[in-house]
Amino acid sequence: MLDWGPPSEVARELESTDSDPEGVGIMVRKARIYPVRLEAVPLKAAPILKQELLAVGGDAAHARGIADHSVASSPTVLLATWGQYQRLLPKLRRQPFALKEVADEVECALRAFVGRPPAELVGAHRPLPLGPRPRVLGVVNVTPDSFSDGGRFVEPAAALAEAERLIAEGADAVDFGAESTRPGATPVSPESEWARLEPVLARAVARLPVPVSVDTRHAEVADKALDAGADIVNDVEGLRDPGMRRVVARTGAAAIVMHMRGTPATMQQETSYDDVRREVYRALAASVDRAERDGIAPSKLVVDPGLGFGKSPEQSLELLAHIGELRSLGLPVAVGASRKSFLGWATDERAPLARVDAGVAAAVYAAEHGVAIVRTHDVGSTVKALRLWERIEAARRVPPASREARDAVEPVL
Ligand code: HH2
């Protein structure tokens, strides 16, 4: 049995048989199926799509109702190798019944498999370099009531010392928050939030050698923070407020668009989803659309599923399990699992500080699934785990010897 992952490992294994390099190149392309899900393929298009896939050696699953015309459209899962898609796409583009649009959608999904994340996230003042391992966003809560570190960093000097400690441990950026967004937290007015943040931020941007992010859902706080030198807005309300979108667009800040229904005060009454993965995906796509329409460049945006925000433990776990799917949105993905209650639920640990190991495991899982930014309180252990992950990845991605195999492991569209 062979336990291989990326195409480079497949190629080197095939090369080790002393097979002909051209043959290795061809076989590498056959070793992996790229599953693609389309949400609503029209009734007339679905059977043609299946036929065309079968003709190239792939397959497609759609609703039984397509056969007896009892549905108008169907979610469809396509199964094919890279080479099979290359033969399929030109054929679809010559067909009627919206199959050209289907081809475009498939191509966009395939891009998510092979596309590299941008080299950096350009903040309002400083860039945050991205990849090859996830960047670590260290958390400092300047609040009396945050769920895991509330009260520890209310004093500006303590907050700053914590930020410096996180950077010494390897944080690539620091996220300052001055309003707890845990379920049931008392909302804080923008004035009080800024009163907590201002003395910290002014010193932080002058002293810290990394980009500074501000965790706020209030446009006026974001505006003042960016003016004071912050680089990134981390908005748990996903840029829902047009005023927040205006601030981000005008200042050139980067923004983390997080998913949450309602507000921190109401979110736990909104945990009913038919299909949490798809609903979070669609909501994030809509938020990104709104942001782009309001003049925020895609290169400024990051998406985050908002684990624990109006989600049951099972739903948070499901979102984490499928976190890689969010890469289909074509943007870097961020995730924050550290110390959260769903980790406690999964590992039977009640105290947030007893969930550090589980948070590190979640970060490694996220890395494995292409996440670009991990938000955590526990920077030192997360960075060490991710460094090991990076070394393991590098060992899996040693390029094969022949040019043919090297070309095959980096499929292009
Ligand atoms: N989680 C929290 C706060 N902000 N931002 C993003 N992008 N993603 C998250 O998962 C996320 C977030 C909750 O953690 P914390 O800040 O420690 O708690 P509190 O809201 O109680 O201050």
Side-chain angles (χ1 to χ4, degrees), residues 139 141 143 145-149 175 179-182 215 234-236 256 258 304 306-307 309 334-338 340 375 377:
V139 180
N141 284 314
T143 57
D145 56 345
S146 285
F147 81 96
S148 82
D149 57 358
D175 189 36
E179 180 192 38
S180 172
T181 47
R182 71 177 161 74
D215 185 345
N234 174 22
D235 181 4
V236 297
I256 303 180
M258 201 198 80
D304 181 326
L307 302 182
F309 281 83
V335 74
S338 109
K340 284 189 176 165
R375 181 184 183 276
H377 309 80

Side-chain angles (χ1 to χ4, degrees), residues 157-180:
L160 216 60
E162 174 66 357
E164 282 172 338
R165 192 183 70 78
L166 297 182
I167 293 167
E169 287 187 349
D172 301 289
V174 178
D175 189 36
F176 291 98
E179 180 192 38
S180 172

